[in-house]
Amino acid sequence: MKLTRLTVHRYRGVAPGTELTPSPSLNLLLGANGTGRTTLLELFSTVIGSDFASLIHEPFALEYELALPGLKLHVYARNESEVPPRQEALARQGAGLLPMRAAGADTGLQPLIELELRWSSPSARLVMRADAEGIDCKVDGAPVWSRAMSWSLLDRSVWTLLFMTAQYIDAGVKERLKPLLRRTFLLAPQRFDEMLGTFERMSAMRYAMEVRDGEVFPLGLMALPSWMPGWLKERVELEPDVDALELRHDALEQGFLARFVSLADLESGRLRVEVLEKRPFENGGRVGFGGLAFQFVRRGGHSLSQAELGFGQKRLLSLLYYLDGNEDFAILDEPANGLHPRWVEASLRELGGRQVFLASQSPLPLEHPVFTSEEELHASLIFCGPVSQEGREHLGWRHPSRQMAASLFDAHRSGARPLGALLREHGLW
């Protein structure tokens, strides 16, 4: 999955009409402190996860597009004092959902989410509209489902709305939705922050699996390594009476633990996961996990707990864990902070084919990118800085001009100087 376009009509102090067309691979956010780089990273996290619960009390209007092979998704999400009225002729049927939030102060804002999903082969089009009173869905222009709701719309992600819709539409369309729903069920790529926030969240993680109609469902929108739910399920079925599960680094060669032990030049590593809740999977059972803990051994045989790791080691461990849990995207804030240059280079190699959004004041991450075309470089650079509109200063996010991209690429392809040096020479960083 890739984010192909983001248009900001209204969002905090950002210039209205800001439009970005990100690169499908590496995107570098460049700018001085206070120019909105972290704000943009957080916005990328919000739209990719399509979860607007954090914006429920503030006005916004955001338009974005996501693409997968054979499928394109366009979303327009807003929370404003006035939104376009519903035009559907089909009456909405009632539903028994209760609001997720207790009634509070009326903000005067009306939420609206409009979604268009297009398949290419065979061609098909699904349109969904959800507002404060309910939800409507059309397939190829024909109304197929409409429901009145008593709900707090923005407490539900776009992916949850699609999942609800899939239960009531034609079986053939539902079947075509399944690959997207599987891919987005736990899609919530958070910002990998500049300090130890990700490391601390790892230890505080709580996760559960529950059986419904014979299928195992993960509960909780946290990023786990893609292999971990299957490993947890298998181990708890083999050892139903244990209170904790352990994994050695060499049991999974491509896992984050093995890569950390190798990069940190350690002898071994072990992950321990507590089993917090146990009900047999049969007949609606549930198993809960948490309390991730790590133990390592240095080359000389000295034991090393996770608390004894240095700042850079904690950052490296949590970055590798983060990448193991986010196969499509990486949203990185100062990833070089605390890392040895060799670790920075190795971490950049770990990014693989992900779409990456990276902000850095350190020149180290800018020493390694290689661009093969002027177009690629143009899409990959996003400059953050103040802009003036109608006499007011706003946060501005923009790609370089075509002329500037051409000049940078000509200098870059000679290979004489790293990108960071070229940007400084052009007064761009």
Side-chain angles (χ1 to χ4, degrees), residues 215-260:
E215 291 192 40
V216 178
F217 284 84
L219 304 177
L221 289 179
M222 69 287 293
L224 280 177
S226 57
W227 52 266
M228 190 175 279
W231 174 75
L232 291 171
K233 179 177 180 294
E234 179 183 350
R235 289 294 304 276
V236 83
E237 287 175 338
L238 288 173
E239 304 176 75
D241 298 324
V242 300
D243 295 321
L245 304 172
E246 290 193 354
L247 176 76
R248 277 184 53 89
H249 77 282
D250 50 7
L252 194 65
E253 186 177 342
Q254 298 303 315
F256 75 94
L257 192 59
R259 299 201 300 277
F260 174 73

Side-chain angles (χ1 to χ4, degrees), residues 74 88 113-119 124-130 135-145 162 165 169 173:
H74 178 271
E88 306 301 327
I113 294 176
E114 296 171 296
L115 174 149
E116 180 185 43
L117 195 157
R118 289 182 178 270
W119 290 275
R125 177 172 173 261
L126 182 149
V127 174
M128 184 185 72
R129 184 188 195 275
I135 186 170
D136 307 295
C137 179
K138 293 180 179 179
V139 175
D140 292 332
V144 295
W145 183 60
L162 266 179
T165 300
I169 60 177
V173 178

Side-chain angles (χ1 to χ4, degrees), residues 99-116:
M100 289 181 67
R101 290 182 185 269
D106 184 7
T107 62
L109 298 174
Q110 301 179 57
L112 176 63
I113 294 176
E114 296 171 296
L115 174 149
E116 180 185 43

Side-chain angles (χ1 to χ4, degrees), residues 78-224:
R78 60 186 101 178
N79 196 33
E80 299 185 292
S81 56
E82 293 185 9
V83 296
R86 176 176 179 262
Q87 302 294 331
E88 306 301 327
L90 187 66
R92 284 172 169 167
Q93 302 299 312
L97 292 179
L98 296 175
M100 289 181 67
R101 290 182 185 269
D106 184 7
T107 62
L109 298 174
Q110 301 179 57
L112 176 63
I113 294 176
E114 296 171 296
L115 174 149
E116 180 185 43
L117 195 157
R118 289 182 178 270
W119 290 275
S120 59
S121 181
S123 176
R125 177 172 173 261
L126 182 149
V127 174
M128 184 185 72
R129 184 188 195 275
D131 56 33
E133 281 77 44
I135 186 170
D136 307 295
C137 179
K138 293 180 179 179
V139 175
D140 292 332
V144 295
W145 183 60
S146 189
R147 187 65 57 93
M149 297 287 187
S150 175
W151 64 354
S152 174
L153 171 61
L154 296 183
D155 275 310
R156 289 162 171 82
S157 73
V158 171
W159 313 125
T160 303
L161 298 178
L162 266 179
F163 180 82
M164 290 170 51
T165 300
Q167 313 312 306
Y168 300 97
I169 60 177
D170 174 78
V173 178
K174 178 179 180 179
E175 196 64 27
R176 297 188 74 180
L177 270 176
K178 280 186 177 180
L180 174 64
L181 294 174
R182 289 193 189 100
R183 199 164 193 90
T184 58
F185 189 71
L186 289 179
L187 181 63
Q190 294 182 312
R191 174 177 66 95
F192 180 81
D193 70 287
E194 66 276 22
M195 296 300 287
L196 293 176
T198 305
F199 181 81
E200 291 161 359
R201 284 196 299 272
M202 287 164 52
S203 300
M205 182 201 77
R206 294 293 182 269
Y207 177 76
M209 290 186 289
E210 188 172 283
V211 172
R212 301 174 187 171
D213 299 325
E215 291 192 40
V216 178
F217 284 84
L219 304 177
L221 289 179
M222 69 287 293
L224 280 177

Side-chain angles (χ1 to χ4, degrees), residues 285-329:
R286 174 187 172 115
V287 181
F289 308 94
L292 267 70
F294 299 92
Q295 191 74 29
F296 301 97
V297 177
R298 293 185 185 275
R299 291 289 182 190
H302 176 71
S303 181
L304 187 69
S305 72
Q306 67 186 59
E308 295 172 310
L309 293 174
F311 176 79
Q313 290 173 314
K314 291 177 179 178
R315 291 267 297 162
L316 178 63
L317 176 62
S318 55
L319 176 56
L320 295 173
Y321 176 92
Y322 174 93
L323 294 176
D324 233 7
N326 293 281
E327 295 182 333
D328 287 339
F329 301 97

